[in-house]
Amino acid sequence: MDKRLERILPRVQKPARYVGGEFNAIMKDKSKVDTRVAFCFPDTYEIGMSNLGMRILYGVMNNIEGVWCERCFAPWGDMEQEMRNANIPLYALESFDPIKDFDIIAFSIGYEMAFPAMVDMLDLAGVPLHASERTALTPLVVAGGTAMYNCEPIADFIDLALIGEGEEMDVELIELHRQARREGWSKHEFLVCAAQIPGVYVPSLYDVAYNDDGTVKSITANGGAPKVVLKRIMRDMDKAYYPTKTIVPSTEIVQDRVNVELFRGCIRGCRFCQAGYVYRPVRNRSEELLRGYAVEAVEDSGYQDMTLSSLSTSDYPHLVELCDDLEDFCAQRHVTLALPSLRADNFSMALMERLQKGRKTGLTFAPEAGTQRLRDAINKNLTEEDLLESCRRAFAGGYSAVKLYFMLGLPTETDEDVLGIADIAAHVMHAWRESALNKTRGVRITVSTSWFVPKPHTAFQWEPQIPIEEYERRVKLLREAMNTKSVTYNWHPSPTSFMEAVISCGDRRLGKVIETAWRKGETLSAWEDYFDLNRWMEAFEECGLDPHFYANRRRSEDEILPWS
């Protein structure tokens, strides 16, 4: 470890974020490695290490002989300032080597508000921000993750984007990059060949023209690049890598447990849900494999908490049987089994009986809308009676806490739909009074609302986000209607969701806005501590662009969208 680093660590919060050395972290002999990948997550260690996709791809890349993939996370503000003061460039956790010296710098980005953090990490690493300034083949800057389904706002900063699931695509890209370096290709020659890998999008090979009204006029592919880039998926999940020997963090993280992925995709078709669209089709893992993964991961890591997770966990067809298979093992090892993302319309008594054998931590359901009319409009195939019946079962089984997630600002929403959320909370309260066997503990009902953000590649991608003032009016309306002491209401702050909508629907011109906002101080914009809407609005004004054009405008169905 650099002596300068040793001196600054006692002065920052949570120094364990920055020192590596965790159990199961992969170390390799540099003399036997020809390709080094800095796998970067543009958020804090606690968030990045909770990301199962990052753990999967870390294992996949390190399984390639001659390749060493190391992790790198965005530092918190205090650490960044100390690093800049001490002239310490951004480094990888395994070797402590500066990531600017690596062959590939790969970002995993699942959230658009992480774009400024990506720019900040490049700057902190001493890497030129713009792809056009990086003329050499290394370091190659790539990005993957859900946010790449519209990567146009960061097209200026990345050399290429990986669209879809990376298990096979990452390997193919690394092998091509190795070949290019061996044979002395130019960067342009490499990018032209990389564009032929299914799922790889090279922004510099596409010219974008705009109409006078600001909409996209045309997107022209050059250099033999495909007109449409098709996402990559793992077709056989039984052949997909799962990290049974996973890194055990030295400090607490958000998801500090074994996380077993049951399947990808979702059988539902909620019109607002980007994940439901981009992870299609549904692909299940076999029950036998999952049982083995779960046991091996717990035994290797020593964790006493395990989550069986997917977009909609209770839709896994063999869930009850899998829970039965794991019952004896979990009991012997005192492992608690958790099932997030439960559907209120298929939460069975059999499933609840399995959950009862662990700690009763509370249940979470997502009705999304307050009335049946609006649930039908967003294709959320759930009735209020489904929800209440599931709550009755849970309360009768000893549960005393339920979390309910809703969305405000959905297309066609009225005040009646908003007030319907308060009605549902009251009905859940009544269900507890009817069904709970032990009422001395009371009940905790938490209602949380987020603000609808139109997302690329969803059925609602043409819809506008409602104005901030209207969203805040609806929050106030709902807050005043929540008059039960046992119901807690939480709502998402409006400025962040507004900017998320702007960037989600943005085009290449937003690159200069993101850079301008970053130069004004926007770094970890996903965190309230660092987000400032005024900085963003000043950046838009300086760049001559209108954020409302992106967030609050209905798009015509024949419009060429930035992600077309």
Side-chain angles (χ1 to χ4, degrees):
M1 184 187 294
D2 191 316
K3 290 292 183 186
R4 294 172 299 171
L5 191 57
E6 288 184 8
R7 285 195 292 271
I8 68 175
L9 284 174
R11 300 199 291 266
V12 303
Q13 299 177 52
K14 302 183 182 179
R17 290 166 164 165
Y18 311 111
V19 297
E22 308 99 321
F23 179 68
N24 279 340
I26 295 173
M27 304 299 295
K28 294 192 178 184
D29 182 346
K30 280 191 255 188
S31 66
K32 297 178 181 177
V33 167
D34 64 55
T35 299
R36 299 186 68 183
V37 179
F39 198 11
C40 300
F41 195 88
D43 208 323
T44 62
Y45 178 92
E46 298 95 303
I47 304 296
M49 285 301 296
S50 300
N51 185 285
L52 180 61
M54 189 162 187
R55 290 175 179 264
I56 290 170
L57 295 177
Y58 177 80
V60 166
M61 287 187 274
N62 276 310
N63 279 344
I64 307 171
E65 192 164 344
V67 175
W68 188 11
C69 174
E70 303 180 50
R71 296 160 299 140
C72 180
F73 302 95
W76 196 246
D78 57 350
M79 180 63 173
E80 178 180 350
Q81 193 57 55
E82 292 284 357
M83 289 173 68
R84 290 189 184 276
N85 291 344
N87 207 23
I88 299 173
L90 191 64
Y91 58 89
L93 284 184
E94 280 75 6
S95 66
F96 294 99
D97 290 339
I99 68 168
K100 71 178 188 305
D101 297 334
F102 283 50
D103 300 293
I104 299 173
I105 299 174
F107 286 92
S108 176
I109 313 178
Y111 182 35
E112 293 82 0
M113 296 311 297
F115 287 168
M118 183 204 77
V119 174
D120 191 56
M121 290 175 77
L122 288 174
D123 182 71
L124 189 57
V127 175
L129 296 185
H130 302 112
S132 58
E133 299 169 326
R134 301 187 298 267
T135 56
L137 199 51
T138 61
L140 185 76
V141 177
V142 308
T146 314
M148 292 304 97
Y149 282 89
N150 178 23
C151 59
E152 291 301 279
I154 57 167
D156 291 346
F157 310 112
I158 59 174
D159 294 310
L160 56 86
L162 306 175
I163 314 298
E165 296 164 5
E167 286 98 332
E168 297 169 334
M169 189 165 36
D170 285 11
V171 175
E172 294 168 18
L173 182 69
I174 288 171
E175 292 301 342
L176 184 68
H177 196 253
R178 293 169 102 174
Q179 179 186 351
R181 284 184 287 122
R182 280 195 310 269
E183 299 178 4
W185 298 3
S186 69
K187 181 178 178 181
H188 179 72
E189 288 171 327
F190 165 77
L191 291 176
V192 168
C193 287
Q196 302 308 312
I197 297 175
V200 171
Y201 171 63
V202 181
S204 61
L205 297 182
Y206 296 81
D207 293 328
V208 181
Y210 298 92
N211 294 307
D212 291 340
D213 64 1
T215 58
V216 176
K217 181 179 182 180
S218 64
I219 303 171
T220 307
N222 301 306
K227 289 184 178 179
V228 176
V229 178
L230 299 180
K231 71 176 183 181
R232 286 289 288 274
I233 62 168
M234 280 297 299
R235 298 195 177 276
D236 186 348
M237 285 303 293
D238 281 354
K239 293 179 180 176
Y241 173 85
Y242 175 77
T244 51
K245 294 182 73 68
T246 191
I247 295 173
V248 180
S250 305
T251 186
E252 188 176 359
I253 61 174
V254 176
Q255 300 291 335
D256 210 4
R257 56 180 65 93
V258 166
N259 195 340
V260 181
E261 182 188 33
L262 304 182
F263 63 96
R264 288 188 193 160
C266 183
I267 66 171
R268 317 290 171 164
C270 300
R271 295 190 167 104
F272 58 85
C273 179
Q274 188 181 42
Y277 283 87
V278 302
Y279 288 114
R280 289 177 177 180
V282 173
R283 291 147 290 146
N284 295 316
R285 274 195 166 105
S286 69
E287 180 194 340
E288 183 180 355
L289 262 183
L290 289 169
R291 181 174 64 248
Y293 288 156
V295 170
E296 190 178 341
V298 168
E299 288 183 335
D300 182 76
S301 65
Y303 275 121
Q304 290 188 292
D305 293 285
M306 183 197 311
T307 294
L308 304 181
S309 69
S310 286
L311 287 177
S312 183
T313 301
S314 51
D315 285 329
Y316 182 65
H318 310 294
L319 185 59
V320 171
E321 293 87 342
L322 179 60
C323 291
D324 286 344
D325 289 343
L326 294 171
E327 181 183 338
D328 288 342
F329 172 77
C330 290
Q332 290 168 12
R333 298 294 293 265
H334 305 290
V335 171
T336 300
L337 200 60
L339 304 177
S341 306
L342 296 173
R343 288 280 305 194
D345 56 356
N346 62 7
F347 180 68
S348 64
M349 187 62 77
L351 188 54
M352 196 189 71
E353 287 169 357
R354 272 76 180 170
L355 286 172
Q356 281 182 321
K357 291 168 183 171
R359 293 194 303 269
K360 296 182 181 67
T361 54
L363 294 172
T364 300
F365 298 114
E368 304 294 359
T371 64
Q372 194 59 49
R373 182 204 67 79
L374 187 52
R375 283 193 293 277
D376 290 343
I378 64 176
N379 207 29
K380 184 79 178 182
N381 299 312
L382 170 73
T383 67
E384 185 173 333
E385 186 50 39
D386 289 331
L387 172 67
L388 295 177
E389 183 55 33
S390 293
C391 290
R392 290 185 198 107
R393 290 193 196 114
F395 294 142
Y399 285 87
S400 59
V402 173
K403 292 180 181 177
L404 303 172
Y405 286 99
F406 296 88
M407 212 173 261
L408 290 180
L410 285 161
T412 77
E413 183 182 70
T414 65
D415 284 1
E416 181 183 352
D417 301 310
V418 175
L419 294 172
I421 296 172
D423 292 340
I424 288 177
H427 296 160
V428 170
M429 181 73 185
H430 183 67
W432 175 78
R433 291 196 186 103
E434 282 183 324
S435 310
L437 300 179
N438 179 7
K439 297 184 176 63
T440 56
R441 293 172 57 196
V443 64
R444 294 193 320 278
I445 301 168
T446 304
V447 172
S448 297
T449 59
S450 59
W451 186 9
F452 165 70
V453 173
K455 289 285 187 176
H457 304 287
T458 68
F460 285 160
Q461 66 179 356
W462 295 277
E463 297 291 334
Q465 186 183 61
I466 60 173
I468 286 183
E469 301 75 23
E470 176 59 19
Y471 167 72
E472 291 176 346
R473 185 193 70 81
R474 295 184 196 185
V475 167
K476 183 172 183 287
L477 178 68
L478 181 54
R479 191 172 68 236
E480 291 172 350
M482 295 278 194
N483 51 18
T484 307
K485 287 183 180 178
S486 297
V487 177
T488 301
Y489 175 38
N490 302 318
W491 60 95
H492 198 273
S494 57
T496 313
S497 294
F498 168 64
M499 197 50 57
E500 181 187 351
V502 172
I503 298 175
S504 293
C505 299
D507 52 42
R508 292 190 179 190
R509 294 171 296 185
L510 287 197
K512 61 183 179 180
V513 176
I514 291 169
E515 184 176 347
T516 303
W518 166 72
R519 294 191 186 282
K520 290 177 177 292
E522 283 297 310
T523 53
L524 293 169
S525 297
W527 294 80
E528 282 186 57
D529 311 54
Y530 290 95
F531 179 85
D532 185 342
L533 184 60
N534 291 329
R535 281 196 291 246
W536 282 102
M537 299 306 279
E538 288 171 8
F540 270 97
E541 188 172 351
E542 288 178 22
C543 295
L545 292 170
D546 178 8
H548 303 287
F549 171 81
Y550 297 100
N552 306 125
R553 176 178 64 87
R554 185 180 301 280
R555 292 155 181 80
S556 64
E557 291 190 14
D558 60 354
E559 180 178 327
I560 298 175
L561 301 173
W563 50 92
S564 293

